[in-house]
Amino acid sequence: MDTTVSIPGRSGIVADLEDGLQAYFGVRHAVTTSSGTAALHATYWAARIGPGDEVIVPAWTFHATASPLFHLRAVPVLCETRPDGNIDPDRVEELITPRTRAIMVTHLWGKPADMAGLMAVAKAHGLVVLEDGSHAHGASAAGQKVGTFGLTGAFSLNGPKPLSGGEGGFVLTDDDDTYHRLITLAHYNKRARTEIPEGHPLSRYAVTGAGLKLRIHPLAAAIAHDQLARLDSHLAGRAEVARYLTGQLARIPGLAVTDLPDGVVPSWYALTLTYKPDELGGLPIEKFHQALVAEGATEFDRPGSTCPMNQLPLYQNPTALFPDHPHSHRRYEPGDFPVAERAHAHMIKLPVWHREQDLELAAQYARAAMKISDHHKELL
């Protein structure tokens, strides 16, 4: 704040953050943005997704994974997920048409999706893979960090994310042309004039770019830069707390923890539990959750806005907001994605803390869940 409160180019704390992200993820380019949604919008634009193009997206994710496509007059095609919420590679192929351009992958709750399966499908059909790593900073699969598998990896820096600036986002890529397109959409004038090479087809548009300014605020960049230096130690702390919690919660009738395949290292943005009412006499999940909150375990949560998108009006009838949008031939209704919808309806989640002293807090949450389970008959 003593140096500057506005950074229109790639310098100062913005350059420091982007350099740090490039080093941490092992990529050639990182571009900061004003939000995770802006990062996703820039990702689609940079990947040349345009009118009438179809992009296969997970049916269950936060809507910003897919909603920028409407602004590009492209078509989000929802795909069934596995019970953990991540897109099911076995269901992707049946959705591919001559209009399909890309597969967007969300690593939901910080657990990496099946990237080997998805990359194989994409390669077989000549499709671009894009990633939404907004829950999964530092997570990895088979030793490779989330956000580095596809053409781009888009991330959020919003409040409770594993890496946060309060608000903000960024996009990773190793592809120079994609990088220049990201700059053209999100960073017009000074930065575009400096970084897009003379003679590049986009250089003549550097002053205006595509007309949008999606710059991160320097204060958010400073917070995120500070947090980046602590990210691995925080992730290690989360993993320790998660090991304790999963061990305790897996013993409780009525709850099941999500399995982790070999080679998958999550960020533990959230620890997800499947509620099993049959083990508790049919006690509805709403009553079980209310009892947890009444015990003071208020951070046990049921996912709300991060839900199967066929339940959202935007995906049921987009024409009210986007008249004559080519999406009109794909409308969704409740019941279209039974795996995702059932998993969502039976999910309870908990944040995973990272400090050593948080283990006692985790123990209190485990005891609260055990108490409700033990006394479930009183709630029937």
Side-chain angles (χ1 to χ4, degrees):
M1 291 177 71
D2 287 340
T3 304
T4 182
V5 294
S6 180
I7 301 177
R10 192 183 189 278
S11 62
I13 191 60
V14 172
D16 292 343
L17 175 58
E18 292 185 358
D19 288 345
L21 291 168
Q22 289 166 193
Y24 181 83
F25 287 95
V27 296
R28 296 185 63 232
H29 303 294
V31 181
T32 50
T33 61
S34 55
S35 69
T37 304
L40 287 156
H41 185 178
T43 281
Y44 287 126
W45 194 88
R48 300 177 183 271
I49 304 300
D53 290 341
E54 295 182 351
V55 178
I56 298 172
V57 300
W60 183 7
T61 183
F62 186 64
H63 74 90
T65 302
S67 56
L69 290 166
F70 289 109
H71 295 268
L72 300 173
R73 293 187 57 77
V75 181
V77 177
L78 308 191
C79 180
E80 182 65 280
T81 71
R82 290 174 173 170
D84 63 3
N86 281 331
I87 192 169
D88 187 344
D90 296 332
R91 302 296 298 272
V92 170
E93 279 193 295
E94 64 195 53
L95 300 173
I96 296 173
T97 75
R99 294 181 175 181
T100 307
R101 289 288 311 283
I103 304 169
M104 171 58 84
V105 184
T106 300
H107 305 281
L108 198 64
W109 313 122
K111 178 188 174 187
D114 181 358
M115 293 309 301
L118 291 162
M119 295 300 289
V121 172
K123 183 177 180 180
H125 294 273
L127 302 177
V128 172
V129 173
L130 310 171
E131 295 178 76
D132 178 356
S134 294
H135 292 178
H137 313 67
S140 63
Q144 184 172 347
K145 281 190 170 66
V146 158
T148 67
F149 287 87
L151 176 67
T152 62
F155 290 78
S156 168
L157 293 171
N158 177 260
K161 299 302 193 312
L163 178 65
S164 178
E167 188 57 274
F170 61 91
V171 185
L172 308 175
T173 188
D174 282 322
D175 183 72
D176 289 344
D177 183 64
T178 301
Y179 176 66
H180 295 141
R181 288 182 62 80
L182 288 166
I183 295 298
T184 303
L185 183 77
H187 295 269
Y188 58 54
N189 202 18
K190 185 173 182 178
R191 183 162 182 179
R193 286 190 288 116
T194 301
E195 297 188 56
I196 299 176
E198 187 175 345
H200 189 282
L202 296 175
S203 63
R204 62 190 294 234
Y205 299 101
V207 171
T208 61
L212 299 180
K213 180 174 74 173
L214 305 177
R215 296 202 310 252
I216 193 171
H217 192 286
L219 184 56
I223 296 171
H225 183 255
D226 178 79
Q227 292 296 304
L228 181 60
R230 310 161 190 256
L231 179 56
D232 280 344
S233 64
H234 285 186
L235 292 177
R238 285 179 185 235
E240 182 179 353
V241 173
R243 279 192 292 271
Y244 173 82
L245 277 170
T246 53
Q248 295 296 311
L249 295 170
R251 300 167 41 240
I252 299 175
L255 296 176
V257 299
T258 302
D259 292 331
L260 286 178
D262 290 340
V264 167
V265 179
S267 68
W268 293 112
Y269 176 59
L271 189 154
T272 57
L273 303 163
T274 299
Y275 180 67
K276 295 182 172 295
D278 293 348
E279 296 181 2
L280 299 181
L283 180 70
I285 189 171
E286 293 83 3
K287 286 192 173 183
F288 187 88
H289 180 240
Q290 289 167 7
L292 288 171
V293 173
E295 281 295 310
T298 56
E299 292 201 65
F300 273 116
D301 183 37
R302 298 191 60 209
S305 55
T306 302
C307 67
M309 294 190 295
N310 59 308
Q311 299 176 355
L312 299 174
L314 179 59
Y315 290 85
Q316 295 169 358
N317 182 21
T319 53
L321 296 179
F322 299 96
D324 302 318
H325 190 276
H327 187 279
S328 58
H329 69 288
R330 286 191 181 272
R331 296 192 181 199
Y332 298 99
E333 297 179 357
D336 285 348
F337 302 97
V339 174
E341 291 173 72
R342 176 174 174 77
H344 175 259
H346 289 79
M347 178 173 285
I348 296 174
K349 63 185 180 71
L350 188 63
V352 181
W353 307 282
H354 66 268
R355 302 173 303 174
E356 184 177 352
Q357 58 264 42
D358 291 328
L359 284 168
E360 174 52 35
L361 179 62
Q364 293 178 43
Y365 271 78
R367 288 195 294 268
M370 179 63 81
K371 178 179 178 181
I372 303 307
S373 178
D374 287 346
H375 295 272
H376 71 275
K377 292 182 180 179
E378 300 171 27
L379 300 172
L380 289 170

mmCIF file of all heavy atoms in Angstrom, residues 216-262:
data_model
loop_
_atom_site.group_PDB
_atom_site.id
_atom_site.type_symbol
_atom_site.label_atom_id
_atom_site.label_comp_id
_atom_site.label_asym_id
_atom_site.label_seq_id
_atom_site.Cartn_x
_atom_site.Cartn_y
_atom_site.Cartn_z
ATOM 1 N N ILE A 216 -6.671 -8.204 -10.976
ATOM 2 C CA ILE A 216 -6.730 -8.425 -9.542
ATOM 3 C C ILE A 216 -6.404 -7.124 -8.817
ATOM 4 O O ILE A 216 -5.637 -6.284 -9.317
ATOM 5 C CB ILE A 216 -5.737 -9.536 -9.131
ATOM 6 C CG1 ILE A 216 -6.006 -10.005 -7.692
ATOM 7 C CG2 ILE A 216 -4.289 -9.082 -9.313
ATOM 8 C CD1 ILE A 216 -5.208 -11.249 -7.309
ATOM 9 N N HIS A 217 -6.977 -6.923 -7.633
ATOM 10 C CA HIS A 217 -6.619 -5.768 -6.813
ATOM 11 C C HIS A 217 -5.266 -6.033 -6.150
ATOM 12 O O HIS A 217 -5.024 -7.147 -5.660
ATOM 13 C CB HIS A 217 -7.681 -5.523 -5.745
ATOM 14 C CG HIS A 217 -7.535 -4.206 -5.040
ATOM 15 N ND1 HIS A 217 -6.545 -3.971 -4.109
ATOM 16 C CD2 HIS A 217 -8.241 -3.061 -5.147
ATOM 17 C CE1 HIS A 217 -6.648 -2.734 -3.667
ATOM 18 N NE2 HIS A 217 -7.676 -2.158 -4.280
ATOM 19 N N PRO A 218 -4.362 -5.061 -6.135
ATOM 20 C CA PRO A 218 -3.032 -5.297 -5.551
ATOM 21 C C PRO A 218 -3.067 -5.774 -4.104
ATOM 22 O O PRO A 218 -2.208 -6.571 -3.701
ATOM 23 C CB PRO A 218 -2.354 -3.928 -5.666
ATOM 24 C CG PRO A 218 -3.010 -3.284 -6.831
ATOM 25 C CD PRO A 218 -4.443 -3.732 -6.772
ATOM 26 N N LEU A 219 -4.031 -5.312 -3.311
ATOM 27 C CA LEU A 219 -4.102 -5.769 -1.924
ATOM 28 C C LEU A 219 -4.436 -7.255 -1.870
ATOM 29 O O LEU A 219 -3.860 -8.009 -1.071
ATOM 30 C CB LEU A 219 -5.135 -4.958 -1.141
ATOM 31 C CG LEU A 219 -5.248 -5.268 0.356
ATOM 32 C CD1 LEU A 219 -3.896 -5.116 1.044
ATOM 33 C CD2 LEU A 219 -6.286 -4.362 1.014
ATOM 34 N N ALA A 220 -5.351 -7.702 -2.750
ATOM 35 C CA ALA A 220 -5.661 -9.134 -2.823
ATOM 36 C C ALA A 220 -4.435 -9.918 -3.267
ATOM 37 O O ALA A 220 -4.161 -11.017 -2.752
ATOM 38 C CB ALA A 220 -6.825 -9.370 -3.787
ATOM 39 N N ALA A 221 -3.688 -9.363 -4.212
ATOM 40 C CA ALA A 221 -2.469 -10.035 -4.668
ATOM 41 C C ALA A 221 -1.461 -10.161 -3.531
ATOM 42 O O ALA A 221 -0.777 -11.188 -3.398
ATOM 43 C CB ALA A 221 -1.866 -9.267 -5.845
ATOM 44 N N ALA A 222 -1.363 -9.134 -2.698
ATOM 45 C CA ALA A 222 -0.426 -9.170 -1.582
ATOM 46 C C ALA A 222 -0.818 -10.240 -0.565
ATOM 47 O O ALA A 222 0.034 -10.973 -0.047
ATOM 48 C CB ALA A 222 -0.363 -7.798 -0.906
ATOM 49 N N ILE A 223 -2.113 -10.336 -0.275
ATOM 50 C CA ILE A 223 -2.573 -11.364 0.663
ATOM 51 C C ILE A 223 -2.290 -12.756 0.101
ATOM 52 O O ILE A 223 -1.768 -13.639 0.782
ATOM 53 C CB ILE A 223 -4.078 -11.187 0.959
ATOM 54 C CG1 ILE A 223 -4.318 -9.860 1.675
ATOM 55 C CG2 ILE A 223 -4.607 -12.352 1.788
ATOM 56 C CD1 ILE A 223 -5.785 -9.486 1.809
ATOM 57 N N ALA A 224 -2.648 -12.958 -1.185
ATOM 58 C CA ALA A 224 -2.446 -14.263 -1.807
ATOM 59 C C ALA A 224 -0.954 -14.619 -1.877
ATOM 60 O O ALA A 224 -0.574 -15.779 -1.674
ATOM 61 C CB ALA A 224 -3.067 -14.283 -3.202
ATOM 62 N N HIS A 225 -0.121 -13.623 -2.152
ATOM 63 C CA HIS A 225 1.325 -13.872 -2.221
ATOM 64 C C HIS A 225 1.850 -14.325 -0.868
ATOM 65 O O HIS A 225 2.674 -15.248 -0.777
ATOM 66 C CB HIS A 225 2.052 -12.606 -2.683
ATOM 67 C CG HIS A 225 3.519 -12.777 -2.861
ATOM 68 N ND1 HIS A 225 4.438 -12.278 -1.957
ATOM 69 C CD2 HIS A 225 4.240 -13.412 -3.822
ATOM 70 C CE1 HIS A 225 5.654 -12.583 -2.367
ATOM 71 N NE2 HIS A 225 5.563 -13.268 -3.493
ATOM 72 N N ASP A 226 1.397 -13.695 0.190
ATOM 73 C CA ASP A 226 1.789 -14.097 1.540
ATOM 74 C C ASP A 226 1.315 -15.522 1.823
ATOM 75 O O ASP A 226 2.050 -16.342 2.376
ATOM 76 C CB ASP A 226 1.203 -13.125 2.552
ATOM 77 C CG ASP A 226 1.535 -13.511 3.985
ATOM 78 O OD1 ASP A 226 2.658 -13.230 4.414
ATOM 79 O OD2 ASP A 226 0.675 -14.121 4.646
ATOM 80 N N GLN A 227 0.075 -15.824 1.434
ATOM 81 C CA GLN A 227 -0.479 -17.149 1.694
ATOM 82 C C GLN A 227 0.220 -18.239 0.870
ATOM 83 O O GLN A 227 0.342 -19.381 1.310
ATOM 84 C CB GLN A 227 -1.977 -17.160 1.380
ATOM 85 C CG GLN A 227 -2.810 -16.311 2.334
ATOM 86 C CD GLN A 227 -2.743 -16.851 3.757
ATOM 87 O OE1 GLN A 227 -3.053 -18.001 4.024
ATOM 88 N NE2 GLN A 227 -2.308 -15.994 4.677
ATOM 89 N N LEU A 228 0.654 -17.889 -0.348
ATOM 90 C CA LEU A 228 1.314 -18.872 -1.205
ATOM 91 C C LEU A 228 2.566 -19.434 -0.525
ATOM 92 O O LEU A 228 2.854 -20.636 -0.641
ATOM 93 C CB LEU A 228 1.681 -18.233 -2.548
ATOM 94 C CG LEU A 228 2.356 -19.139 -3.585
ATOM 95 C CD1 LEU A 228 1.472 -20.319 -3.945
ATOM 96 C CD2 LEU A 228 2.709 -18.329 -4.837
ATOM 97 N N ALA A 229 3.286 -18.589 0.195
ATOM 98 C CA ALA A 229 4.492 -19.043 0.894
ATOM 99 C C ALA A 229 4.162 -20.042 2.004
ATOM 100 O O ALA A 229 5.027 -20.818 2.423
ATOM 101 C CB ALA A 229 5.236 -17.844 1.483
ATOM 102 N N ARG A 230 2.915 -20.029 2.471
ATOM 103 C CA ARG A 230 2.500 -20.909 3.559
ATOM 104 C C ARG A 230 1.666 -22.096 3.073
ATOM 105 O O ARG A 230 1.269 -22.942 3.878
ATOM 106 C CB ARG A 230 1.654 -20.129 4.571
ATOM 107 C CG ARG A 230 2.257 -18.819 5.051
ATOM 108 C CD ARG A 230 1.174 -17.936 5.664
ATOM 109 N NE ARG A 230 1.661 -16.586 5.917
ATOM 110 C CZ ARG A 230 1.988 -16.139 7.128
ATOM 111 N NH1 ARG A 230 1.876 -16.929 8.178
ATOM 112 N NH2 ARG A 230 2.421 -14.907 7.289
ATOM 113 N N LEU A 231 1.366 -22.142 1.766
ATOM 114 C CA LEU A 231 0.375 -23.098 1.261
ATOM 115 C C LEU A 231 0.750 -24.538 1.583
ATOM 116 O O LEU A 231 -0.080 -25.303 2.098
ATOM 117 C CB LEU A 231 0.183 -22.919 -0.248
ATOM 118 C CG LEU A 231 -0.816 -23.879 -0.913
ATOM 119 C CD1 LEU A 231 -2.188 -23.800 -0.261
ATOM 120 C CD2 LEU A 231 -0.919 -23.581 -2.415
ATOM 121 N N ASP A 232 1.964 -24.946 1.293
ATOM 122 C CA ASP A 232 2.321 -26.347 1.520
ATOM 123 C C ASP A 232 2.258 -26.726 2.992
ATOM 124 O O ASP A 232 1.826 -27.837 3.340
ATOM 125 C CB ASP A 232 3.715 -26.638 0.954
ATOM 126 C CG ASP A 232 3.695 -26.851 -0.554
ATOM 127 O OD1 ASP A 232 2.593 -27.078 -1.105
ATOM 128 O OD2 ASP A 232 4.772 -26.785 -1.182
ATOM 129 N N SER A 233 2.671 -25.825 3.879
ATOM 130 C CA SER A 233 2.597 -26.145 5.309
ATOM 131 C C SER A 233 1.141 -26.213 5.762
ATOM 132 O O SER A 233 0.778 -27.067 6.586
ATOM 133 C CB SER A 233 3.368 -25.113 6.139
ATOM 134 O OG SER A 233 2.795 -23.827 6.029
ATOM 135 N N HIS A 234 0.293 -25.346 5.211
ATOM 136 C CA HIS A 234 -1.133 -25.406 5.540
ATOM 137 C C HIS A 234 -1.755 -26.696 5.018
ATOM 138 O O HIS A 234 -2.592 -27.317 5.691
ATOM 139 C CB HIS A 234 -1.864 -24.205 4.961
ATOM 140 C CG HIS A 234 -1.602 -22.935 5.717
ATOM 141 N ND1 HIS A 234 -2.256 -21.750 5.424
ATOM 142 C CD2 HIS A 234 -0.792 -22.655 6.755
ATOM 143 C CE1 HIS A 234 -1.836 -20.811 6.242
ATOM 144 N NE2 HIS A 234 -0.944 -21.327 7.057
ATOM 145 N N LEU A 235 -1.372 -27.108 3.802
ATOM 146 C CA LEU A 235 -1.912 -28.348 3.240
ATOM 147 C C LEU A 235 -1.472 -29.554 4.063
ATOM 148 O O LEU A 235 -2.248 -30.495 4.267
ATOM 149 C CB LEU A 235 -1.473 -28.508 1.792
ATOM 150 C CG LEU A 235 -2.066 -27.508 0.784
ATOM 151 C CD1 LEU A 235 -1.479 -27.750 -0.603
ATOM 152 C CD2 LEU A 235 -3.585 -27.602 0.729
ATOM 153 N N ALA A 236 -0.243 -29.535 4.540
ATOM 154 C CA ALA A 236 0.235 -30.625 5.393
ATOM 155 C C ALA A 236 -0.561 -30.675 6.696
ATOM 156 O O ALA A 236 -0.917 -31.762 7.183
ATOM 157 C CB ALA A 236 1.728 -30.463 5.678
ATOM 158 N N GLY A 237 -0.858 -29.497 7.245
ATOM 159 C CA GLY A 237 -1.676 -29.442 8.454
ATOM 160 C C GLY A 237 -3.086 -29.941 8.197
ATOM 161 O O GLY A 237 -3.661 -30.683 9.016
ATOM 162 N N ARG A 238 -3.659 -29.559 7.062
ATOM 163 C CA ARG A 238 -4.995 -30.063 6.709
ATOM 164 C C ARG A 238 -4.994 -31.577 6.590
ATOM 165 O O ARG A 238 -5.938 -32.247 7.016
ATOM 166 C CB ARG A 238 -5.450 -29.445 5.383
ATOM 167 C CG ARG A 238 -5.897 -27.996 5.462
ATOM 168 C CD ARG A 238 -6.297 -27.514 4.071
ATOM 169 N NE ARG A 238 -6.626 -26.104 4.062
ATOM 170 C CZ ARG A 238 -7.775 -25.605 3.623
ATOM 171 N NH1 ARG A 238 -8.700 -26.413 3.153
ATOM 172 N NH2 ARG A 238 -8.005 -24.306 3.636
ATOM 173 N N ALA A 239 -3.956 -32.111 5.943
ATOM 174 C CA ALA A 239 -3.896 -33.562 5.763
ATOM 175 C C ALA A 239 -3.855 -34.276 7.111
ATOM 176 O O ALA A 239 -4.491 -35.325 7.286
ATOM 177 C CB ALA A 239 -2.676 -33.923 4.926
ATOM 178 N N GLU A 240 -3.135 -33.720 8.078
ATOM 179 C CA GLU A 240 -3.066 -34.339 9.405
ATOM 180 C C GLU A 240 -4.434 -34.297 10.087
ATOM 181 O O GLU A 240 -4.892 -35.300 10.658
ATOM 182 C CB GLU A 240 -2.026 -33.620 10.262
ATOM 183 C CG GLU A 240 -1.868 -34.234 11.647
ATOM 184 C CD GLU A 240 -0.819 -33.533 12.492
ATOM 185 O OE1 GLU A 240 -0.117 -32.648 11.958
ATOM 186 O OE2 GLU A 240 -0.706 -33.860 13.686
ATOM 187 N N VAL A 241 -5.106 -33.144 10.038
ATOM 188 C CA VAL A 241 -6.425 -33.029 10.652
ATOM 189 C C VAL A 241 -7.420 -33.936 9.931
ATOM 190 O O VAL A 241 -8.263 -34.581 10.553
ATOM 191 C CB VAL A 241 -6.893 -31.563 10.641
ATOM 192 C CG1 VAL A 241 -8.335 -31.447 11.113
ATOM 193 C CG2 VAL A 241 -5.979 -30.708 11.524
ATOM 194 N N ALA A 242 -7.295 -34.009 8.596
ATOM 195 C CA ALA A 242 -8.210 -34.858 7.820
ATOM 196 C C ALA A 242 -8.025 -36.330 8.172
ATOM 197 O O ALA A 242 -9.015 -37.084 8.255
ATOM 198 C CB ALA A 242 -7.986 -34.642 6.327
ATOM 199 N N ARG A 243 -6.781 -36.761 8.359
ATOM 200 C CA ARG A 243 -6.549 -38.156 8.759
ATOM 201 C C ARG A 243 -7.240 -38.460 10.081
ATOM 202 O O ARG A 243 -7.858 -39.523 10.252
ATOM 203 C CB ARG A 243 -5.044 -38.435 8.871
ATOM 204 C CG ARG A 243 -4.355 -38.716 7.551
ATOM 205 C CD ARG A 243 -2.954 -39.275 7.764
ATOM 206 N NE ARG A 243 -2.065 -38.282 8.331
ATOM 207 C CZ ARG A 243 -1.342 -37.434 7.613
ATOM 208 N NH1 ARG A 243 -1.420 -37.451 6.291
ATOM 209 N NH2 ARG A 243 -0.528 -36.566 8.197
ATOM 210 N N TYR A 244 -7.120 -37.526 11.016
ATOM 211 C CA TYR A 244 -7.777 -37.736 12.304
ATOM 212 C C TYR A 244 -9.297 -37.777 12.139
ATOM 213 O O TYR A 244 -9.971 -38.695 12.651
ATOM 214 C CB TYR A 244 -7.386 -36.623 13.280
ATOM 215 C CG TYR A 244 -8.157 -36.696 14.577
ATOM 216 C CD1 TYR A 244 -7.770 -37.566 15.588
ATOM 217 C CD2 TYR A 244 -9.294 -35.912 14.773
ATOM 218 C CE1 TYR A 244 -8.486 -37.664 16.774
ATOM 219 C CE2 TYR A 244 -10.025 -35.995 15.947
ATOM 220 C CZ TYR A 244 -9.620 -36.876 16.944
ATOM 221 O OH TYR A 244 -10.342 -36.970 18.103
ATOM 222 N N LEU A 245 -9.839 -36.803 11.425
ATOM 223 C CA LEU A 245 -11.294 -36.729 11.274
ATOM 224 C C LEU A 245 -11.865 -37.949 10.550
ATOM 225 O O LEU A 245 -12.879 -38.507 10.973
ATOM 226 C CB LEU A 245 -11.672 -35.455 10.509
ATOM 227 C CG LEU A 245 -11.771 -34.161 11.318
ATOM 228 C CD1 LEU A 245 -11.921 -32.965 10.382
ATOM 229 C CD2 LEU A 245 -12.957 -34.221 12.294
ATOM 230 N N THR A 246 -11.221 -38.344 9.465
ATOM 231 C CA THR A 246 -11.749 -39.487 8.718
ATOM 232 C C THR A 246 -11.695 -40.750 9.562
ATOM 233 O O THR A 246 -12.622 -41.572 9.528
ATOM 234 C CB THR A 246 -10.982 -39.699 7.404
ATOM 235 O OG1 THR A 246 -9.578 -39.779 7.668
ATOM 236 C CG2 THR A 246 -11.238 -38.558 6.437
ATOM 237 N N GLY A 247 -10.631 -40.900 10.343
ATOM 238 C CA GLY A 247 -10.546 -42.063 11.219
ATOM 239 C C GLY A 247 -11.657 -42.092 12.253
ATOM 240 O O GLY A 247 -12.229 -43.153 12.538
ATOM 241 N N GLN A 248 -11.979 -40.928 12.817
ATOM 242 C CA GLN A 248 -13.027 -40.849 13.831
ATOM 243 C C GLN A 248 -14.425 -40.966 13.211
ATOM 244 O O GLN A 248 -15.276 -41.710 13.703
ATOM 245 C CB GLN A 248 -12.904 -39.523 14.598
ATOM 246 C CG GLN A 248 -11.634 -39.375 15.405
ATOM 247 C CD GLN A 248 -11.540 -40.389 16.525
ATOM 248 O OE1 GLN A 248 -12.477 -40.568 17.301
ATOM 249 N NE2 GLN A 248 -10.403 -41.081 16.611
ATOM 250 N N LEU A 249 -14.658 -40.230 12.139
ATOM 251 C CA LEU A 249 -16.001 -40.181 11.561
ATOM 252 C C LEU A 249 -16.381 -41.481 10.869
ATOM 253 O O LEU A 249 -17.568 -41.828 10.788
ATOM 254 C CB LEU A 249 -16.095 -39.008 10.588
ATOM 255 C CG LEU A 249 -15.945 -37.622 11.221
ATOM 256 C CD1 LEU A 249 -15.818 -36.543 10.142
ATOM 257 C CD2 LEU A 249 -17.112 -37.309 12.150
ATOM 258 N N ALA A 250 -15.396 -42.220 10.346
ATOM 259 C CA ALA A 250 -15.689 -43.482 9.673
ATOM 260 C C ALA A 250 -16.253 -44.527 10.631
ATOM 261 O O ALA A 250 -16.872 -45.503 10.191
ATOM 262 C CB ALA A 250 -14.417 -44.016 9.003
ATOM 263 N N ARG A 251 -16.043 -44.335 11.924
ATOM 264 C CA ARG A 251 -16.534 -45.287 12.933
ATOM 265 C C ARG A 251 -17.959 -45.016 13.354
ATOM 266 O O ARG A 251 -18.534 -45.777 14.135
ATOM 267 C CB ARG A 251 -15.623 -45.224 14.166
ATOM 268 C CG ARG A 251 -14.178 -45.575 13.869
ATOM 269 C CD ARG A 251 -13.220 -45.205 15.015
ATOM 270 N NE ARG A 251 -13.760 -45.511 16.334
ATOM 271 C CZ ARG A 251 -13.966 -44.617 17.287
ATOM 272 N NH1 ARG A 251 -13.669 -43.338 17.076
ATOM 273 N NH2 ARG A 251 -14.439 -44.985 18.457
ATOM 274 N N ILE A 252 -18.554 -43.926 12.862
ATOM 275 C CA ILE A 252 -19.859 -43.483 13.356
ATOM 276 C C ILE A 252 -20.973 -44.038 12.479
ATOM 277 O O ILE A 252 -21.006 -43.764 11.277
ATOM 278 C CB ILE A 252 -19.922 -41.949 13.397
ATOM 279 C CG1 ILE A 252 -18.840 -41.408 14.351
ATOM 280 C CG2 ILE A 252 -21.302 -41.472 13.814
ATOM 281 C CD1 ILE A 252 -18.741 -39.899 14.378
ATOM 282 N N PRO A 253 -21.905 -44.816 13.037
ATOM 283 C CA PRO A 253 -23.039 -45.293 12.245
ATOM 284 C C PRO A 253 -23.831 -44.122 11.657
ATOM 285 O O PRO A 253 -24.079 -43.116 12.322
ATOM 286 C CB PRO A 253 -23.880 -46.063 13.273
ATOM 287 C CG PRO A 253 -22.905 -46.474 14.336
ATOM 288 C CD PRO A 253 -21.918 -45.356 14.415
ATOM 289 N N GLY A 254 -24.184 -44.256 10.389
ATOM 290 C CA GLY A 254 -24.927 -43.204 9.698
ATOM 291 C C GLY A 254 -24.061 -42.311 8.839
ATOM 292 O O GLY A 254 -24.588 -41.522 8.048
ATOM 293 N N LEU A 255 -22.737 -42.439 8.966
ATOM 294 C CA LEU A 255 -21.836 -41.610 8.180
ATOM 295 C C LEU A 255 -20.797 -42.486 7.471
ATOM 296 O O LEU A 255 -20.307 -43.465 8.041
ATOM 297 C CB LEU A 255 -21.104 -40.593 9.067
ATOM 298 C CG LEU A 255 -21.964 -39.546 9.772
ATOM 299 C CD1 LEU A 255 -21.090 -38.687 10.685
ATOM 300 C CD2 LEU A 255 -22.708 -38.678 8.774
ATOM 301 N N ALA A 256 -20.467 -42.115 6.242
ATOM 302 C CA ALA A 256 -19.405 -42.785 5.494
ATOM 303 C C ALA A 256 -18.511 -41.716 4.892
ATOM 304 O O ALA A 256 -18.997 -40.717 4.359
ATOM 305 C CB ALA A 256 -19.988 -43.673 4.396
ATOM 306 N N VAL A 257 -17.199 -41.921 4.976
ATOM 307 C CA VAL A 257 -16.254 -40.961 4.416
ATOM 308 C C VAL A 257 -15.966 -41.321 2.958
ATOM 309 O O VAL A 257 -16.099 -42.470 2.542
ATOM 310 C CB VAL A 257 -14.940 -40.922 5.224
ATOM 311 C CG1 VAL A 257 -15.204 -40.496 6.660
ATOM 312 C CG2 VAL A 257 -14.241 -42.270 5.186
ATOM 313 N N THR A 258 -15.580 -40.313 2.174
ATOM 314 C CA THR A 258 -15.284 -40.515 0.760
ATOM 315 C C THR A 258 -13.931 -41.194 0.597
ATOM 316 O O THR A 258 -12.947 -40.795 1.216
ATOM 317 C CB THR A 258 -15.272 -39.164 0.018
ATOM 318 O OG1 THR A 258 -16.539 -38.534 0.203
ATOM 319 C CG2 THR A 258 -15.028 -39.355 -1.472
ATOM 320 N N ASP A 259 -13.885 -42.224 -0.238
ATOM 321 C CA ASP A 259 -12.637 -42.935 -0.486
ATOM 322 C C ASP A 259 -11.681 -42.085 -1.312
ATOM 323 O O ASP A 259 -12.102 -41.270 -2.141
ATOM 324 C CB ASP A 259 -12.907 -44.247 -1.231
ATOM 325 C CG ASP A 259 -13.654 -45.254 -0.368
ATOM 326 O OD1 ASP A 259 -13.494 -45.203 0.867
ATOM 327 O OD2 ASP A 259 -14.384 -46.090 -0.929
ATOM 328 N N LEU A 260 -10.382 -42.317 -1.104
ATOM 329 C CA LEU A 260 -9.345 -41.661 -1.903
ATOM 330 C C LEU A 260 -8.563 -42.726 -2.672
ATOM 331 O O LEU A 260 -7.949 -43.604 -2.056
ATOM 332 C CB LEU A 260 -8.380 -40.879 -1.014
ATOM 333 C CG LEU A 260 -8.891 -39.575 -0.408
ATOM 334 C CD1 LEU A 260 -7.812 -38.980 0.488
ATOM 335 C CD2 LEU A 260 -9.276 -38.596 -1.498
ATOM 336 N N PRO A 261 -8.579 -42.687 -3.999
ATOM 337 C CA PRO A 261 -7.788 -43.652 -4.775
ATOM 338 C C PRO A 261 -6.300 -43.453 -4.533
ATOM 339 O O PRO A 261 -5.846 -42.391 -4.107
ATOM 340 C CB PRO A 261 -8.162 -43.318 -6.234
ATOM 341 C CG PRO A 261 -9.415 -42.503 -6.153
ATOM 342 C CD PRO A 261 -9.355 -41.782 -4.854
ATOM 343 N N ASP A 262 -5.527 -44.485 -4.830
ATOM 344 C CA ASP A 262 -4.076 -44.384 -4.719
ATOM 345 C C ASP A 262 -3.559 -43.274 -5.633
ATOM 346 O O ASP A 262 -4.028 -43.101 -6.759
ATOM 347 C CB ASP A 262 -3.423 -45.711 -5.117
ATOM 348 C CG ASP A 262 -3.686 -46.812 -4.106
ATOM 349 O OD1 ASP A 262 -4.027 -46.490 -2.959
ATOM 350 O OD2 ASP A 262 -3.556 -47.996 -4.489
#
